Amino acid sequence: DQQVKQNSPSLSVQEGRISILNCDYTNSMFDYFLWYKKYPAEGPTFLISISSIKDKNEDGRFTVFLNKSAKHLSLHIVPSQPGDSAVYFCAASFDNQGGKLIFGQGTELSVKP
Amino acid sequence: GAVVSQHPSWVICKSGTSVKIECRSLDFQATTMFWYRQFPKQSLMLMATSNEGSKATYEQGVEKDKFLINHASLTLSTLTVTSAHPEDSSFYICSATTSGRIYEQYFGPGTRLTVT
């Protein structure tokens, strides 16, 4: 049972435009959501997180939106840059499970110059 | 800061042999380390959680006798794949957290294991 889903395996965006990566989850008890960026043959790098009690968190070009009623979160990257091209994973966590992360399948973002 | 290394970065072994993968936190003390496995084009699947000085907690479906995890110090955890088979071929990634930043895990670069 996939508790965290990223239904778009890939996304292509023009440089300078907005990239929107989506993530859906099934368990309303998740306490935190995180986004990671991953290059081939490397480990994921933490990007941004959001607590379940918030609906938005912003850090520079990256903003994460959380819609609890829809069990949906999205990562917005504005403006998109070619260096943003990578695989993006969303992940979810419970407060009482010692930091265990449940990952989505990932979305490969390609930003074209 | 917050650098995690893994060694080796890739390894090829013969079926039936054992392989040890090391995960080190280079500039911080990791109270908890996690081991993940990733198949091509798929998500990272948590295999086990290890805390320094105690036995690892394995996820459902992961054979603890096959995937031996040792967290001997606050900077080192090892994963040993025993009696490896071709189906164990995968990308293995570790991550580490520091106390107080449990939700922000720092990942190693991964180890590509190929069993022939």
Side-chain angles (χ1 to χ4, degrees):
Chain A
D1 177 32
Q2 188 78 25
Q3 295 190 68
V4 179
K5 297 179 185 179
Q6 293 174 258
N7 293 315
S8 298
S10 63
L11 173 68
S12 183
V13 170
Q14 206 69 32
E15 180 179 8
R17 308 293 283 266
I18 184 171
S19 295
I20 301 176
L21 298 118
N22 294 302
C23 180
D24 298 295
Y25 60 95
T26 57
N27 195 325
S28 59
M29 302 303 290
F30 284 128
D31 296 296
Y32 285 90
F33 301 91
L34 305 91
W35 284 93
Y36 286 84
K37 176 180 180 180
K38 184 181 182 299
Y39 294 113
E42 293 184 13
T45 303
F46 170 74
L47 267 179
I48 190 169
S49 64
I50 188 168
S51 164
S52 62
I53 62 173
K54 296 189 175 181
D55 53 21
K56 178 183 176 181
N57 189 25
E58 191 172 353
D59 184 2
R61 296 187 298 115
F62 302 93
T63 303
V64 57
F65 295 92
L66 176 62
N67 182 334
K68 287 185 286 293
S69 61
K71 296 192 183 72
H72 176 85
L73 67 154
S74 59
L75 174 68
H76 292 212
I77 306 174
V78 182
S80 301
Q81 300 172 353
D84 295 329
S85 298
V87 177
Y88 288 78
F89 288 95
C90 70
S93 180
F94 296 102
D95 219 352
N96 60 354
Q97 291 195 2
K100 170 182 166 179
L101 292 174
I102 301 167
F103 282 87
Q105 306 96 310
T107 297
E108 184 170 10
L109 172 66
S110 175
V111 180
K112 301 191 182 304
Chain B
V3 178
V4 176
S5 70
Q6 277 184 245
H7 178 81
S9 55
W10 61 272
V11 58
I12 301 173
C13 71
K14 291 189 176 180
S15 190
T17 62
S18 295
V19 175
K20 180 185 282 189
I21 302 169
E22 290 186 350
C23 176
R24 293 183 185 271
S25 56
L26 299 184
D27 51 3
F28 66 100
Q29 292 187 324
T31 52
T32 304
M33 286 185 170
F34 301 88
W35 286 94
Y36 293 85
R37 182 175 181 177
Q38 185 188 22
F39 292 104
K41 305 287 186 183
Q42 295 189 25
S43 65
L44 284 77
M45 300 299 294
L46 179 65
M47 299 174 67
T49 303
S50 73
N51 294 293
E52 185 262 340
S54 60
K55 287 185 178 179
T57 302
Y58 290 81
E59 294 300 300
Q60 193 172 12
V62 178
E63 300 174 60
K64 57 182 167 185
D65 294 331
K66 180 169 187 60
F67 299 100
L68 301 178
I69 291 171
N70 183 278
H71 194 159
S73 74
L74 285 171
T75 59
L76 173 65
S77 176
T78 60
L79 167 67
T80 301
V81 183
T82 62
S83 188
H85 290 284
E87 56 265 30
D88 299 324
S89 299
S90 190
F91 194 57
Y92 292 88
I93 304 176
C94 72
S95 69
T97 63
T98 60
S99 178
R101 304 189 70 176
I102 198 74
Y103 300 106
E104 295 175 359
Q105 295 181 24
Y106 300 97
F107 286 80
T111 297
R112 170 74 59 195
L113 170 63
T114 301
V115 184
T116 62

